[in-house]
Amino acid sequence: MTLSSVGESAEAATITINGTGERDGVLIRNDDAQISSVKGDIRILGIGDNGVGVVDGAVVSSTGKGADAATITIDGAGGTGSHADGVVIFGNRTRVMSTDGDIKIIGSAIGVDIKSSSAVTATGAATIGV
């Protein structure tokens, strides 16, 4: 699955993914799962035992440059189970990355779990908040 917002203006389409589930609120999984935007913000919001999972080679990216570059917000509310991560990011080739748009990752319950085999990276003017 590839989901992209390629608009070059400040009014470019925002990508919003909301999910609620018993196990995973939102699960972005496998090498085929690519979410990217140039200028429209990316918002991923999930509620479940694991709020949001970005796993197994999935990529979420902001490729825009300058002050209007897409920001990435991943906000997950985990449940009460033993693996109740608000946000979990893991797996080889799994990436959340941006050039100039800020990255914000918020997780409740156990919190945010970023495994060493994955990466959250910012280059250019982008900042990362966890």
Side-chain angles (χ1 to χ4, degrees):
M1 167 205 70
T2 300
L3 181 59
S4 300
S5 173
V6 296
E8 293 285 338
S9 72
E11 294 82 30
T14 297
I15 296 172
T16 301
I17 302 170
N18 294 322
T20 301
E22 188 173 312
R23 170 104 173 99
D24 297 298
V26 173
L27 181 60
I28 303 164
R29 184 177 189 183
N30 294 326
D31 294 326
D32 294 336
Q34 308 284 318
I35 299 170
S36 66
S37 184
V38 178
K39 298 285 183 179
D41 293 341
I42 300 170
R43 297 183 186 122
I44 303 167
L45 311 165
I47 300 170
D49 192 33
N50 288 313
V52 176
V54 181
V55 302
D56 297 337
V59 175
V60 178
S61 63
S62 167
T63 59
K65 294 189 165 102
D68 293 329
T71 62
I72 299 171
T73 301
I74 302 173
D75 189 346
T80 58
S82 61
H83 299 285
D85 293 309
V87 175
V88 61
I89 300 170
F90 76 87
N92 292 331
R93 301 171 315 283
T94 301
R95 302 285 180 263
V96 176
M97 57 190 178
S98 180
T99 302
D100 284 342
D102 293 341
I103 299 171
K104 186 186 310 181
I105 303 173
I106 305 158
S108 62
I110 292 177
V112 176
D113 187 4
I114 303 170
K115 302 289 188 188
S116 62
S117 60
S118 60
V120 177
T121 59
T123 58
T127 62
I128 299 172
V130 178

PDB file of all heavy atoms in Angstrom, residues 24-52:
ATOM      1  N   ASP A  24      -4.803  -3.698  17.594  1.00  0.00           N
ATOM      2  CA  ASP A  24      -4.067  -2.536  17.106  1.00  0.00           C
ATOM      3  C   ASP A  24      -5.057  -1.469  16.653  1.00  0.00           C
ATOM      4  O   ASP A  24      -5.992  -1.786  15.906  1.00  0.00           O
ATOM      5  CB  ASP A  24      -3.179  -2.915  15.912  1.00  0.00           C
ATOM      6  CG  ASP A  24      -2.120  -3.935  16.286  1.00  0.00           C
ATOM      7  OD1 ASP A  24      -1.286  -3.605  17.145  1.00  0.00           O
ATOM      8  OD2 ASP A  24      -2.133  -5.038  15.724  1.00  0.00           O
ATOM      9  N   GLY A  25      -4.820  -0.233  17.076  1.00  0.00           N
ATOM     10  CA  GLY A  25      -5.639   0.859  16.567  1.00  0.00           C
ATOM     11  C   GLY A  25      -5.326   1.113  15.107  1.00  0.00           C
ATOM     12  O   GLY A  25      -6.210   1.110  14.251  1.00  0.00           O
ATOM     13  N   VAL A  26      -4.047   1.304  14.794  1.00  0.00           N
ATOM     14  CA  VAL A  26      -3.563   1.452  13.417  1.00  0.00           C
ATOM     15  C   VAL A  26      -2.300   0.611  13.306  1.00  0.00           C
ATOM     16  O   VAL A  26      -1.406   0.719  14.144  1.00  0.00           O
ATOM     17  CB  VAL A  26      -3.235   2.925  13.076  1.00  0.00           C
ATOM     18  CG1 VAL A  26      -2.568   3.031  11.716  1.00  0.00           C
ATOM     19  CG2 VAL A  26      -4.484   3.795  13.134  1.00  0.00           C
ATOM     20  N   LEU A  27      -2.240  -0.227  12.267  1.00  0.00           N
ATOM     21  CA  LEU A  27      -1.056  -1.041  12.027  1.00  0.00           C
ATOM     22  C   LEU A  27      -0.573  -0.779  10.611  1.00  0.00           C
ATOM     23  O   LEU A  27      -1.269  -1.077   9.637  1.00  0.00           O
ATOM     24  CB  LEU A  27      -1.371  -2.526  12.205  1.00  0.00           C
ATOM     25  CG  LEU A  27      -0.188  -3.489  12.002  1.00  0.00           C
ATOM     26  CD1 LEU A  27       0.938  -3.192  13.000  1.00  0.00           C
ATOM     27  CD2 LEU A  27      -0.662  -4.933  12.133  1.00  0.00           C
ATOM     28  N   ILE A  28       0.613  -0.198  10.493  1.00  0.00           N
ATOM     29  CA  ILE A  28       1.246   0.069   9.202  1.00  0.00           C
ATOM     30  C   ILE A  28       2.388  -0.931   9.114  1.00  0.00           C
ATOM     31  O   ILE A  28       3.358  -0.839   9.865  1.00  0.00           O
ATOM     32  CB  ILE A  28       1.743   1.529   9.126  1.00  0.00           C
ATOM     33  CG1 ILE A  28       0.572   2.476   9.371  1.00  0.00           C
ATOM     34  CG2 ILE A  28       2.406   1.802   7.790  1.00  0.00           C
ATOM     35  CD1 ILE A  28       0.978   3.881   9.698  1.00  0.00           C
ATOM     36  N   ARG A  29       2.239  -1.891   8.189  1.00  0.00           N
ATOM     37  CA  ARG A  29       3.109  -3.064   8.269  1.00  0.00           C
ATOM     38  C   ARG A  29       3.623  -3.494   6.899  1.00  0.00           C
ATOM     39  O   ARG A  29       2.886  -3.476   5.927  1.00  0.00           O
ATOM     40  CB  ARG A  29       2.312  -4.204   8.881  1.00  0.00           C
ATOM     41  CG  ARG A  29       3.090  -5.449   9.104  1.00  0.00           C
ATOM     42  CD  ARG A  29       2.219  -6.463   9.781  1.00  0.00           C
ATOM     43  NE  ARG A  29       3.025  -7.593  10.193  1.00  0.00           N
ATOM     44  CZ  ARG A  29       2.539  -8.650  10.753  1.00  0.00           C
ATOM     45  NH1 ARG A  29       1.262  -8.754  10.988  1.00  0.00           N
ATOM     46  NH2 ARG A  29       3.334  -9.630  11.096  1.00  0.00           N
ATOM     47  N   ASN A  30       4.864  -3.913   6.856  1.00  0.00           N
ATOM     48  CA  ASN A  30       5.547  -4.532   5.715  1.00  0.00           C
ATOM     49  C   ASN A  30       6.180  -3.494   4.793  1.00  0.00           C
ATOM     50  O   ASN A  30       5.845  -2.313   4.812  1.00  0.00           O
ATOM     51  CB  ASN A  30       4.639  -5.462   4.920  1.00  0.00           C
ATOM     52  CG  ASN A  30       4.219  -6.664   5.728  1.00  0.00           C
ATOM     53  OD1 ASN A  30       4.981  -7.159   6.554  1.00  0.00           O
ATOM     54  ND2 ASN A  30       2.999  -7.129   5.519  1.00  0.00           N
ATOM     55  N   ASP A  31       7.081  -3.988   3.960  1.00  0.00           N
ATOM     56  CA  ASP A  31       7.811  -3.141   3.018  1.00  0.00           C
ATOM     57  C   ASP A  31       6.884  -2.414   2.054  1.00  0.00           C
ATOM     58  O   ASP A  31       7.230  -1.368   1.532  1.00  0.00           O
ATOM     59  CB  ASP A  31       8.810  -3.973   2.212  1.00  0.00           C
ATOM     60  CG  ASP A  31       9.923  -4.536   3.079  1.00  0.00           C
ATOM     61  OD1 ASP A  31      10.330  -3.869   4.034  1.00  0.00           O
ATOM     62  OD2 ASP A  31      10.383  -5.657   2.787  1.00  0.00           O
ATOM     63  N   ASP A  32       5.721  -2.969   1.782  1.00  0.00           N
ATOM     64  CA  ASP A  32       4.783  -2.348   0.849  1.00  0.00           C
ATOM     65  C   ASP A  32       4.052  -1.152   1.455  1.00  0.00           C
ATOM     66  O   ASP A  32       3.394  -0.413   0.737  1.00  0.00           O
ATOM     67  CB  ASP A  32       3.740  -3.365   0.375  1.00  0.00           C
ATOM     68  CG  ASP A  32       4.369  -4.468  -0.459  1.00  0.00           C
ATOM     69  OD1 ASP A  32       5.448  -4.236  -1.030  1.00  0.00           O
ATOM     70  OD2 ASP A  32       3.770  -5.545  -0.526  1.00  0.00           O
ATOM     71  N   ALA A  33       4.107  -0.970   2.753  1.00  0.00           N
ATOM     72  CA  ALA A  33       3.395   0.117   3.423  1.00  0.00           C
ATOM     73  C   ALA A  33       4.264   1.377   3.426  1.00  0.00           C
ATOM     74  O   ALA A  33       5.215   1.491   4.189  1.00  0.00           O
ATOM     75  CB  ALA A  33       3.023  -0.272   4.841  1.00  0.00           C
ATOM     76  N   GLN A  34       3.938   2.293   2.534  1.00  0.00           N
ATOM     77  CA  GLN A  34       4.706   3.533   2.380  1.00  0.00           C
ATOM     78  C   GLN A  34       3.731   4.706   2.454  1.00  0.00           C
ATOM     79  O   GLN A  34       2.828   4.810   1.638  1.00  0.00           O
ATOM     80  CB  GLN A  34       5.409   3.558   1.024  1.00  0.00           C
ATOM     81  CG  GLN A  34       6.240   2.326   0.718  1.00  0.00           C
ATOM     82  CD  GLN A  34       7.549   2.303   1.479  1.00  0.00           C
ATOM     83  OE1 GLN A  34       8.217   3.309   1.600  1.00  0.00           O
ATOM     84  NE2 GLN A  34       7.906   1.149   2.000  1.00  0.00           N
ATOM     85  N   ILE A  35       3.919   5.585   3.430  1.00  0.00           N
ATOM     86  CA  ILE A  35       3.100   6.783   3.563  1.00  0.00           C
ATOM     87  C   ILE A  35       4.038   7.969   3.465  1.00  0.00           C
ATOM     88  O   ILE A  35       5.005   8.066   4.221  1.00  0.00           O
ATOM     89  CB  ILE A  35       2.352   6.804   4.908  1.00  0.00           C
ATOM     90  CG1 ILE A  35       1.422   5.582   5.005  1.00  0.00           C
ATOM     91  CG2 ILE A  35       1.567   8.100   5.069  1.00  0.00           C
ATOM     92  CD1 ILE A  35       0.817   5.381   6.369  1.00  0.00           C
ATOM     93  N   SER A  36       3.768   8.871   2.513  1.00  0.00           N
ATOM     94  CA  SER A  36       4.674  10.000   2.329  1.00  0.00           C
ATOM     95  C   SER A  36       3.909  11.251   1.923  1.00  0.00           C
ATOM     96  O   SER A  36       2.825  11.176   1.349  1.00  0.00           O
ATOM     97  CB  SER A  36       5.736   9.681   1.274  1.00  0.00           C
ATOM     98  OG  SER A  36       5.136   9.530   0.012  1.00  0.00           O
ATOM     99  N   SER A  37       4.512  12.388   2.238  1.00  0.00           N
ATOM    100  CA  SER A  37       3.925  13.669   1.866  1.00  0.00           C
ATOM    101  C   SER A  37       5.020  14.697   1.669  1.00  0.00           C
ATOM    102  O   SER A  37       6.065  14.652   2.323  1.00  0.00           O
ATOM    103  CB  SER A  37       2.950  14.150   2.939  1.00  0.00           C
ATOM    104  OG  SER A  37       2.332  15.351   2.520  1.00  0.00           O
ATOM    105  N   VAL A  38       4.735  15.634   0.781  1.00  0.00           N
ATOM    106  CA  VAL A  38       5.654  16.739   0.533  1.00  0.00           C
ATOM    107  C   VAL A  38       5.287  17.919   1.440  1.00  0.00           C
ATOM    108  O   VAL A  38       6.085  18.360   2.257  1.00  0.00           O
ATOM    109  CB  VAL A  38       5.623  17.153  -0.957  1.00  0.00           C
ATOM    110  CG1 VAL A  38       6.540  18.346  -1.206  1.00  0.00           C
ATOM    111  CG2 VAL A  38       6.014  15.987  -1.847  1.00  0.00           C
ATOM    112  N   LYS A  39       4.066  18.430   1.312  1.00  0.00           N
ATOM    113  CA  LYS A  39       3.648  19.620   2.073  1.00  0.00           C
ATOM    114  C   LYS A  39       2.470  19.375   3.012  1.00  0.00           C
ATOM    115  O   LYS A  39       2.317  20.048   4.016  1.00  0.00           O
ATOM    116  CB  LYS A  39       3.269  20.755   1.120  1.00  0.00           C
ATOM    117  CG  LYS A  39       4.402  21.242   0.232  1.00  0.00           C
ATOM    118  CD  LYS A  39       5.393  22.080   0.980  1.00  0.00           C
ATOM    119  CE  LYS A  39       6.467  22.610   0.038  1.00  0.00           C
ATOM    120  NZ  LYS A  39       7.443  23.450   0.698  1.00  0.00           N
ATOM    121  N   GLY A  40       1.588  18.425   2.697  1.00  0.00           N
ATOM    122  CA  GLY A  40       0.427  18.156   3.557  1.00  0.00           C
ATOM    123  C   GLY A  40       0.836  17.317   4.752  1.00  0.00           C
ATOM    124  O   GLY A  40       1.524  16.307   4.618  1.00  0.00           O
ATOM    125  N   ASP A  41       0.419  17.714   5.931  1.00  0.00           N
ATOM    126  CA  ASP A  41       0.821  17.009   7.150  1.00  0.00           C
ATOM    127  C   ASP A  41       0.326  15.566   7.160  1.00  0.00           C
ATOM    128  O   ASP A  41      -0.682  15.228   6.545  1.00  0.00           O
ATOM    129  CB  ASP A  41       0.283  17.735   8.382  1.00  0.00           C
ATOM    130  CG  ASP A  41       0.922  19.103   8.572  1.00  0.00           C
ATOM    131  OD1 ASP A  41       1.996  19.345   7.991  1.00  0.00           O
ATOM    132  OD2 ASP A  41       0.342  19.923   9.300  1.00  0.00           O
ATOM    133  N   ILE A  42       1.043  14.712   7.901  1.00  0.00           N
ATOM    134  CA  ILE A  42       0.672  13.320   8.108  1.00  0.00           C
ATOM    135  C   ILE A  42       0.285  13.170   9.573  1.00  0.00           C
ATOM    136  O   ILE A  42       1.072  13.491  10.459  1.00  0.00           O
ATOM    137  CB  ILE A  42       1.838  12.369   7.774  1.00  0.00           C
ATOM    138  CG1 ILE A  42       2.264  12.513   6.312  1.00  0.00           C
ATOM    139  CG2 ILE A  42       1.471  10.921   8.113  1.00  0.00           C
ATOM    140  CD1 ILE A  42       3.558  11.774   5.981  1.00  0.00           C
ATOM    141  N   ARG A  43      -0.961  12.675   9.812  1.00  0.00           N
ATOM    142  CA  ARG A  43      -1.444  12.465  11.181  1.00  0.00           C
ATOM    143  C   ARG A  43      -1.949  11.031  11.293  1.00  0.00           C
ATOM    144  O   ARG A  43      -2.860  10.633  10.580  1.00  0.00           O
ATOM    145  CB  ARG A  43      -2.579  13.428  11.497  1.00  0.00           C
ATOM    146  CG  ARG A  43      -2.157  14.869  11.462  1.00  0.00           C
ATOM    147  CD  ARG A  43      -3.295  15.794  11.859  1.00  0.00           C
ATOM    148  NE  ARG A  43      -2.883  17.168  11.682  1.00  0.00           N
ATOM    149  CZ  ARG A  43      -3.510  18.035  10.914  1.00  0.00           C
ATOM    150  NH1 ARG A  43      -4.603  17.686  10.276  1.00  0.00           N
ATOM    151  NH2 ARG A  43      -3.062  19.259  10.803  1.00  0.00           N
ATOM    152  N   ILE A  44      -1.350  10.277  12.215  1.00  0.00           N
ATOM    153  CA  ILE A  44      -1.746   8.888  12.431  1.00  0.00           C
ATOM    154  C   ILE A  44      -2.152   8.768  13.894  1.00  0.00           C
ATOM    155  O   ILE A  44      -1.337   9.010  14.784  1.00  0.00           O
ATOM    156  CB  ILE A  44      -0.595   7.923  12.092  1.00  0.00           C
ATOM    157  CG1 ILE A  44      -0.132   8.136  10.636  1.00  0.00           C
ATOM    158  CG2 ILE A  44      -1.018   6.480  12.333  1.00  0.00           C
ATOM    159  CD1 ILE A  44       1.178   7.465  10.294  1.00  0.00           C
ATOM    160  N   LEU A  45      -3.422   8.419  14.124  1.00  0.00           N
ATOM    161  CA  LEU A  45      -3.975   8.377  15.473  1.00  0.00           C
ATOM    162  C   LEU A  45      -4.613   7.011  15.697  1.00  0.00           C
ATOM    163  O   LEU A  45      -5.482   6.594  14.930  1.00  0.00           O
ATOM    164  CB  LEU A  45      -5.022   9.470  15.655  1.00  0.00           C
ATOM    165  CG  LEU A  45      -4.593  10.869  15.205  1.00  0.00           C
ATOM    166  CD1 LEU A  45      -5.796  11.783  15.086  1.00  0.00           C
ATOM    167  CD2 LEU A  45      -3.581  11.440  16.154  1.00  0.00           C
ATOM    168  N   GLY A  46      -4.196   6.290  16.750  1.00  0.00           N
ATOM    169  CA  GLY A  46      -4.738   4.961  16.987  1.00  0.00           C
ATOM    170  C   GLY A  46      -5.007   4.684  18.446  1.00  0.00           C
ATOM    171  O   GLY A  46      -4.281   5.136  19.328  1.00  0.00           O
ATOM    172  N   ILE A  47      -6.078   3.904  18.690  1.00  0.00           N
ATOM    173  CA  ILE A  47      -6.444   3.466  20.036  1.00  0.00           C
ATOM    174  C   ILE A  47      -6.651   1.957  19.981  1.00  0.00           C
ATOM    175  O   ILE A  47      -7.443   1.453  19.178  1.00  0.00           O
ATOM    176  CB  ILE A  47      -7.742   4.145  20.511  1.00  0.00           C
ATOM    177  CG1 ILE A  47      -7.577   5.667  20.540  1.00  0.00           C
ATOM    178  CG2 ILE A  47      -8.156   3.612  21.893  1.00  0.00           C
ATOM    179  CD1 ILE A  47      -8.866   6.428  20.751  1.00  0.00           C
ATOM    180  N   GLY A  48      -5.927   1.236  20.810  1.00  0.00           N
ATOM    181  CA  GLY A  48      -6.050  -0.220  20.862  1.00  0.00           C
ATOM    182  C   GLY A  48      -5.101  -0.764  21.903  1.00  0.00           C
ATOM    183  O   GLY A  48      -4.481   0.006  22.644  1.00  0.00           O
ATOM    184  N   ASP A  49      -4.971  -2.099  22.003  1.00  0.00           N
ATOM    185  CA  ASP A  49      -3.988  -2.644  22.932  1.00  0.00           C
ATOM    186  C   ASP A  49      -2.627  -2.043  22.597  1.00  0.00           C
ATOM    187  O   ASP A  49      -1.886  -1.604  23.466  1.00  0.00           O
ATOM    188  CB  ASP A  49      -3.957  -4.165  22.861  1.00  0.00           C
ATOM    189  CG  ASP A  49      -3.163  -4.757  24.009  1.00  0.00           C
ATOM    190  OD1 ASP A  49      -3.182  -4.174  25.115  1.00  0.00           O
ATOM    191  OD2 ASP A  49      -2.514  -5.793  23.813  1.00  0.00           O
ATOM    192  N   ASN A  50      -2.297  -1.993  21.298  1.00  0.00           N
ATOM    193  CA  ASN A  50      -1.218  -1.153  20.788  1.00  0.00           C
ATOM    194  C   ASN A  50      -1.907  -0.047  20.002  1.00  0.00           C
ATOM    195  O   ASN A  50      -2.664  -0.331  19.074  1.00  0.00           O
ATOM    196  CB  ASN A  50      -0.288  -1.929  19.849  1.00  0.00           C
ATOM    197  CG  ASN A  50       0.581  -2.919  20.598  1.00  0.00           C
ATOM    198  OD1 ASN A  50       1.177  -2.590  21.610  1.00  0.00           O
ATOM    199  ND2 ASN A  50       0.638  -4.136  20.109  1.00  0.00           N
ATOM    200  N   GLY A  51      -1.644   1.198  20.355  1.00  0.00           N
ATOM    201  CA  GLY A  51      -2.307   2.309  19.677  1.00  0.00           C
ATOM    202  C   GLY A  51      -1.933   2.389  18.210  1.00  0.00           C
ATOM    203  O   GLY A  51      -2.788   2.308  17.334  1.00  0.00           O
ATOM    204  N   VAL A  52      -0.640   2.547  17.928  1.00  0.00           N
ATOM    205  CA  VAL A  52      -0.144   2.626  16.550  1.00  0.00           C
ATOM    206  C   VAL A  52       1.106   1.769  16.443  1.00  0.00           C
ATOM    207  O   VAL A  52       2.022   1.887  17.265  1.00  0.00           O
ATOM    208  CB  VAL A  52       0.198   4.081  16.136  1.00  0.00           C
ATOM    209  CG1 VAL A  52       0.809   4.118  14.738  1.00  0.00           C
ATOM    210  CG2 VAL A  52      -1.028   4.982  16.204  1.00  0.00           C
TER     211      VAL A  52
END
